[in-house]
Amino acid sequence: MSHTPVNGAAPRTPHQDLHSAQGALRGEHPGRSRNPVIKVADLAWLEFEKPDLDRAEVFARDFGFAIAARTERELWLRGTFAGSPCMVIRRGRTSRFTGPAFRAAERADLDRLARSTGSSVRDIGVPGGGQSVALLDPSGLPVRVVHCAEQLPALSEQEPLILNFGTDHRRTNTTQRPPREPSRIQRLGHVVLETRVFARTLDWYLDTLGMIVSDFLFLDGQRGRGPTMTFIRCDQGSVAVDHHTLALHLGPGTGYVHSAYQVTDLDSIAAGGEYLTERGYQRSWGIGRHIQGSQLFDYWRDPDHFMLEHFADGDLFSCDLEPGWAPMSASGLAQWGPPVTRDFLGATPSPAKLREVMAALRGDNELDPARLLGLMKAMSS
């Protein structure tokens, strides 16, 4: 996790120039649990199944991952930073996301979590060895909390370019030529998940894993019904960490939306994007700069249609900052960049999507016609 000690200089107001213009109204969700079971330290890795590991490895290298380990049935991907792998892809009959793994702050947290949830601590086959507790969130998604016995060593970095600013001339008598190569992944940043039971799922991650909310988004005219999207970070006290490690939003589906991987800088994003374009991959949306989280972004589809993001220069928040509240809209997704695409929003009609919507409206969950119409309006505004 990217982090930096807070220097003690408080912002003028809790929300000035930080994330959203408004704070909570009286009685709204506080954005954190009073007594969580544990406090996870970070997102460790994501788990997938795919039929073709060779094809998955080709894309992984083109996107900028390094290979941590490869067997006949597993492919472990990593970034350049020391720590745990970013992703494991296991051979399976279909392509699917099988859940996130969060890193415990210490080994004893696994025992505490196991006692509280009636689970058990088991060994896992991560490179270097480790143990985990397997859970299910209220959406039915498998979630692991892991503690790794050994960290992977750091790899060589893609150095940031030296930039000239106004009269600050740091680069003279030399040209600027970012290499046309993959954007070298440094680390896993966050994952975004969709859920039909938003409020229950949000509370589970706060109460069980000790995460805290950075920003809430609500639907126009429906704020009184509560938020429909939230950006959640880990709680490391006065140490500032990523604005969000996990984002959740209400929708007709369940599970993976996209995942994000940090790279060095804007030139790394752009040159790496040109590299991907030349190899025939599909850009979903980008390049731009987000509002919640502030990061530079560029979204791509892998051969199995999973969405992955290159990002750089994201916000870092300590535990002192209370949640922001803002209306949800497509135009509010970026400060600058091209218009958001239907592909990114998942707004392209398909028989599978229509079946998903109908099943959600008939089920026992938080998606009713008013919520669905509000979401559709937000994604077109």
Side-chain angles (χ1 to χ4, degrees):
M1 172 178 289
S2 179
H3 55 82
T4 184
V6 174
N7 60 17
R12 285 176 290 169
T13 72
H15 306 286
Q16 183 84 30
D17 299 323
L18 290 173
H19 41 141
S20 62
Q22 305 177 52
L25 302 178
R26 183 181 296 275
E28 288 187 317
H29 199 296
R32 62 187 68 199
S33 174
R34 296 181 63 181
N35 188 29
V37 178
I38 64 168
K39 293 185 178 183
V40 293
D42 201 356
L43 187 60
W45 62 77
L46 304 178
E47 303 190 0
F48 294 84
E49 288 183 357
K50 296 186 178 185
D52 191 338
L53 294 189
D54 291 334
R55 186 175 71 167
E57 181 174 346
V58 170
F59 173 79
R61 292 183 184 276
D62 287 343
F63 194 73
F65 291 104
I67 308 303
R70 172 73 194 264
T71 69
E72 182 183 350
R73 303 202 59 81
E74 290 187 344
L75 172 64
W76 288 88
L77 308 177
R78 61 161 299 176
T80 58
F81 286 1
S84 66
C86 294
M87 184 187 298
V88 57
I89 304 173
R90 298 184 175 94
R91 191 181 303 280
R93 296 181 63 183
T94 61
S95 293
R96 65 189 187 102
F97 176 64
T98 57
F102 291 87
R103 178 168 61 85
E106 54 187 38
R107 171 59 183 80
D109 283 344
L110 298 186
D111 296 322
R112 186 177 303 111
L113 186 62
R115 288 194 300 271
S116 175
T117 61
S119 306
S120 58
V121 180
R122 297 186 177 182
D123 292 336
I124 50 173
V126 62
Q131 295 180 305
S132 76
V133 173
L135 308 169
L136 286 177
D137 77 8
S139 298
L141 184 69
V143 176
R144 291 183 190 268
V145 178
V146 303
H147 186 269
C148 295
E150 297 179 10
Q151 285 197 335
L152 298 172
L155 303 177
S156 60
E157 288 289 332
Q158 194 171 33
E159 294 298 325
L161 297 185
I162 299 172
L163 304 178
N164 289 331
F165 298 97
T167 58
D168 182 6
H169 300 156
R170 305 182 184 187
R171 178 177 54 82
T172 59
N173 296 329
T174 184
T175 59
Q176 199 75 289
R177 301 290 186 270
R180 188 66 60 86
E181 63 182 12
S183 306
R184 206 170 304 171
I185 301 300
Q186 295 175 326
R187 64 183 180 95
L188 169 61
H190 64 259
V191 64
V192 179
L193 302 176
E194 183 175 359
T195 175
R196 301 175 183 177
V197 287
F198 174 85
R200 280 188 280 157
T201 302
L202 167 62
D203 287 343
W204 186 87
Y205 281 98
L206 305 191
D207 294 338
T208 308
L209 304 188
M211 306 181 82
I212 56 180
V213 172
S214 297
D215 277 293
F216 287 115
L217 301 184
F218 56 87
L219 296 177
D220 183 36
Q222 298 188 32
R223 182 166 180 172
R225 295 190 63 184
T228 51
M229 186 167 187
T230 184
F231 298 86
I232 312 169
R233 67 190 185 273
C234 297
D235 181 2
Q236 292 198 21
S238 62
V239 175
V241 302
D242 290 333
H243 169 273
H244 56 286
T245 299
L246 170 67
L248 298 171
H249 73 77
L250 176 66
T254 297
Y256 182 89
V257 178
H258 77 257
S259 51
Y261 304 86
Q262 181 176 291
V263 299
T264 302
D265 57 13
L266 179 58
D267 276 281
S268 175
I269 291 175
E274 292 299 305
Y275 184 90
L276 289 169
T277 298
E278 291 168 354
R279 279 149 184 80
Y281 298 109
Q282 175 194 348
R283 174 180 269 123
S284 181
W285 182 36
I287 298 171
R289 186 182 281 278
H290 279 305
I291 295 178
Q292 276 76 29
S294 301
Q295 70 267 29
L296 298 160
F297 66 80
D298 196 19
Y299 292 91
W300 294 85
R301 293 284 184 181
D302 76 1
D304 297 284
H305 209 62
F306 290 109
M307 190 189 303
L308 294 88
E309 174 190 0
H310 285 143
F311 82 92
D313 190 36
D315 290 336
L316 301 172
F317 286 2
S318 70
C319 71
D320 310 296
L321 208 66
E322 64 184 270
W325 288 74
M328 188 176 185
S329 69
S331 60
L333 291 172
Q335 301 179 47
W336 57 260
V340 63
T341 64
R342 294 180 65 84
D343 179 71
F344 176 82
L345 295 174
T348 303
S350 69
K353 178 65 70 174
L354 292 175
R355 288 194 297 270
E356 201 172 56
V357 170
M358 295 305 297
L361 290 175
R362 289 194 298 263
D364 179 18
N365 55 66
E366 297 167 32
L367 193 74
D368 55 34
R371 284 301 220 193
L372 180 61
L373 289 173
L375 288 168
M376 293 171 65
K377 180 181 176 181
M379 292 303 98
S380 62
S381 63

